[in-house]
Amino acid sequence: MCVRDILAEFAPMPFRQTIAAKIFGLAIILLLLTIALAGYLLYEVTRTKHDLTVVANFDVPLTQSLSRLDEFGLRRRLAFERWFGALNAAEPNPETVAEATENYTFFTRKLTEEFSTARRIIESYPESAPGSHTLAEVETLLDQIQPAYKTISARQREVLDLQVAGEHDKANVQLNLLNDLQRTVQDQRASVNSKMAAWSGSATKGTELRERRVFWLAIAATTSTVLLGLAVAALVTNRLSRPVRSLASAMRDVQKGNLNLELPVNSTDEVGRLTDSFNFFVKELRSKQRLKQTFGKYIDPRILEQVLAQPGAEAVASGRREMTVLFADLVGFTGLSERLTPLLMVTLLNRHFGLQALAVQEHRGVVDKFIGDSIMAFWGPPFVKPEEHAVLACRAAQAQLAALDTLRRELPDITGLRRDVPEIDVCIGICTGEVVVGNIGSENTRSYTVIGDTANLAARLERANRIYGTHVLLSESTARAVSSHFELREIDTIFVKGKIETTRVYELLSAAGELSEDLVRLRERYDAARRSYLAHDWDTAEAAFRECVKIRPNDGPSRVFLERVQALRRNPPGEDWNGVWQLVEK
């Protein structure tokens, strides 16, 4: 028996079709309202996104450029006044005059460059951007200000020439006229900044109005849905009214967010089954809500258990901590992806990330995030002991290289490429040091992560592998912490982009005591070669590095230093050169 048959059993004959028509009509109206609301919301969201793009890519850069124009203009004027004042002295100070002249010339050039920047931004504004009349006014003012600066420059030169010639009275008269012109230009600059501020305020107000319209429309749609539900409930018979009212009331509670309810099932008919289904639905909602709140951000289970689930534990686990951070990148994926369909690319990445994440988690690391085809992980309290995190990170790196071999074997089956399968590799950078750890993000979406110079350096070391032809590079702090557990080779002392301090870089070779005889000889010859290299003994260094290549033909660091030795022999460094090398790549 369907709901329509139940209604027919208790309703008079003339109303059977009418009730069905009304219910169907109400359903159509509800559907149309939902479609209209969804369409309007999509339209408003698109408009808001467009406006925000204009603000971020054009309004803000233009405002900053105009502010710099104002700043450069003021600083240029100050340089001129200092120059004028120095020449006005009985015995002008040459150093003061030279400094003022240099500053005046510098800020004159900066003004010219900033005018070009501002005009380039104005010309690139989209035609559909709001406030085009204000943009025209700003451009008009720039057309007035820029020529005025040429006049100001000419008059300033006249005043300075009079000062140099000793005609101070005439210079002061010209200076008063010049000050009037400079005040006019300053007022025009202030007007430009004022118009830009008003423009930004107008854009913000427009966005707020659209948000308010969407808000009230959502309320109206929700209210309409509730009223339609009440109208349908009023059409049922006395036999169904009581359980249906209970269901309607319970559904309103669910709409308000109350999921802690369960209705009694008093019958075995359709209403009873509907009530049972409702209870199951609410139970599923409770379960999904817990899953959404707990795992919606893909939180590592240990973070949940040790940081978020325990009262007060988050504060203890946040702050500055010494940890070890690892970055690993899949090399060769870009070339491989050009030969794969999107589905195969996703399958390959999922398998790669699965193997890499397993290698990290088996050694008690926390997988922080996936970035493109890269993975970031960290080790440290409260997840592992302070003395363990560097060692565990290095063991995980070895496991990641083993996982790469597994992926290579599976590559033909995953990609379907049986011939000419591209080479893939993994580069890993590890750094130990102080980081800022905690829940970082917005109010609605946060991630328990680590940030700081240590994480940045780990990422730089991962990229440095591509330069040296290595797989795993460690920072000096990590090398000190694991030197008794692993065989290492000191590769170089470098500057990385973004840091002013030097960094000693080490290659992870194997676990302690497991280094082959060839690698032992390679490390010894490499160390000797570097000592000669640092002593500017290019011939001895070159010969030693060539021996390294004979021991291990694909030894990337030795080949890099051979190239450096040849370059330094042609262009010898100074006597105070300490061998530190600047890496230009991030």
Side-chain angles (χ1 to χ4, degrees), residues 2 49 89 98 125 133 166 173 184 232 306 366 479 498 500 503 508 547 574:
C2 64
K49 181 179 179 181
Y125 259 85
H133 62 282
V173 172
T184 300
V232 172
Q306 301 183 39
V366 176
I500 60 175
T503 301
L508 179 64
E547 289 183 28

Side-chain angles (χ1 to χ4, degrees), residues 159 162 167-179:
V159 171
L162 290 172
E167 300 181 20
H168 301 300
D169 293 336
K170 290 183 178 180
N172 288 327
V173 172
Q174 290 296 327
L175 181 62
N176 291 332
L177 296 175
L178 178 61
N179 288 336

Side-chain angles (χ1 to χ4, degrees), residues 358-390:
L358 181 61
V360 170
Q361 292 166 348
E362 285 181 343
H363 294 87
R364 294 186 282 166
V366 176
V367 177
D368 186 286
K369 59 178 69 73
F370 299 110
I371 311 168
D373 55 2
S374 302
I375 183 172
M376 174 184 174
F378 61 88
W379 287 257
F383 311 109
V384 298
K385 296 178 181 179
E387 64 272 17
E388 292 180 330
H389 51 77

Side-chain angles (χ1 to χ4, degrees), residues 186-479:
Q186 185 173 349
D187 292 341
Q188 289 174 329
R189 292 200 310 263
S191 177
V192 168
N193 288 322
S194 175
K195 289 182 181 296
M196 285 303 301
W199 189 0
S200 299
S202 176
T204 302
K205 185 176 180 181
T207 302
E208 291 176 351
L209 288 175
R210 280 195 298 275
E211 289 179 350
R212 194 174 295 114
R213 284 199 300 269
V214 173
F215 173 76
W216 286 112
L217 181 61
I219 291 180
T222 302
T223 304
S224 300
T225 302
V226 172
L227 292 176
L228 287 172
L230 294 174
V232 172
L235 296 175
V236 299
T237 63
N238 290 332
R239 181 179 176 182
L240 297 177
S241 61
R242 185 180 304 169
V244 169
R245 280 198 302 269
S246 298
L247 283 170
S249 177
M251 290 180 69
R252 286 193 294 272
D253 289 338
V254 171
Q255 282 183 326
K256 296 175 182 178
N258 179 18
L259 301 179
N260 297 319
L261 48 85
E262 183 175 356
L263 297 178
V265 180
N266 298 319
S267 64
T268 58
D269 57 11
E270 288 79 359
V271 175
R273 291 197 293 271
L274 180 60
T275 303
D276 186 65
S277 298
F278 174 81
N279 289 335
F280 177 80
F281 173 72
V282 173
K283 181 180 178 182
E284 288 296 306
L285 282 180
R286 285 198 298 266
S287 176
K288 289 181 179 180
Q289 186 183 56
R290 287 193 296 268
L291 288 173
K292 181 179 179 181
Q293 293 174 347
T294 304
F295 301 106
K297 305 178 183 69
Y298 295 91
I299 299 174
D300 189 284
R302 288 168 298 167
I303 296 177
L304 174 67
E305 296 172 3
Q306 301 183 39
V307 178
L308 302 181
Q310 303 298 327
E314 180 178 350
V316 175
S318 300
R320 293 187 176 274
R321 298 280 186 276
E322 181 171 289
M323 291 188 168
T324 297
V325 182
L326 177 148
F327 274 84
D329 185 46
L330 181 62
V331 180
F333 176 76
T334 301
L336 179 59
S337 64
E338 295 175 355
R339 301 172 59 182
L340 302 180
T341 65
L343 181 59
L344 287 177
M345 287 171 57
V346 172
T347 302
L348 175 59
L349 273 181
N350 286 341
R351 181 55 177 161
H352 165 64
F353 284 141
L355 292 170
Q356 294 291 305
L358 181 61
V360 170
Q361 292 166 348
E362 285 181 343
H363 294 87
R364 294 186 282 166
V366 176
V367 177
D368 186 286
K369 59 178 69 73
F370 299 110
I371 311 168
D373 55 2
S374 302
I375 183 172
M376 174 184 174
F378 61 88
W379 287 257
F383 311 109
V384 298
K385 296 178 181 179
E387 64 272 17
E388 292 180 330
H389 51 77
V391 174
L392 289 171
C394 291
R395 289 175 179 168
Q398 292 182 316
Q400 287 177 275
L401 295 178
L404 173 67
D405 292 334
T406 301
L407 183 64
R408 285 170 173 166
R409 290 193 297 270
E410 297 177 357
L411 200 58
D413 293 330
I414 295 175
T415 62
L417 301 174
R418 302 297 177 181
R419 300 176 59 185
D420 299 326
V421 180
E423 288 292 329
I424 58 173
D425 210 342
V426 167
C427 291
I428 301 172
I430 303 176
C431 183
T432 301
E434 187 176 74
V435 297
V436 176
V437 59
N439 280 327
I440 298 174
S442 66
E443 288 295 323
N444 297 324
T445 303
R446 292 182 296 172
S447 174
Y448 186 85
T449 187
V450 297
I451 59 174
D453 285 343
T454 298
N456 295 336
L457 181 55
R460 301 291 192 273
L461 294 179
E462 176 271 313
R463 296 290 298 176
N465 282 289
R466 303 166 190 264
I467 298 175
Y468 292 104
T470 53
H471 286 96
V472 183
L473 287 180
L474 313 180
S475 67
E476 184 176 0
S477 55
T478 305

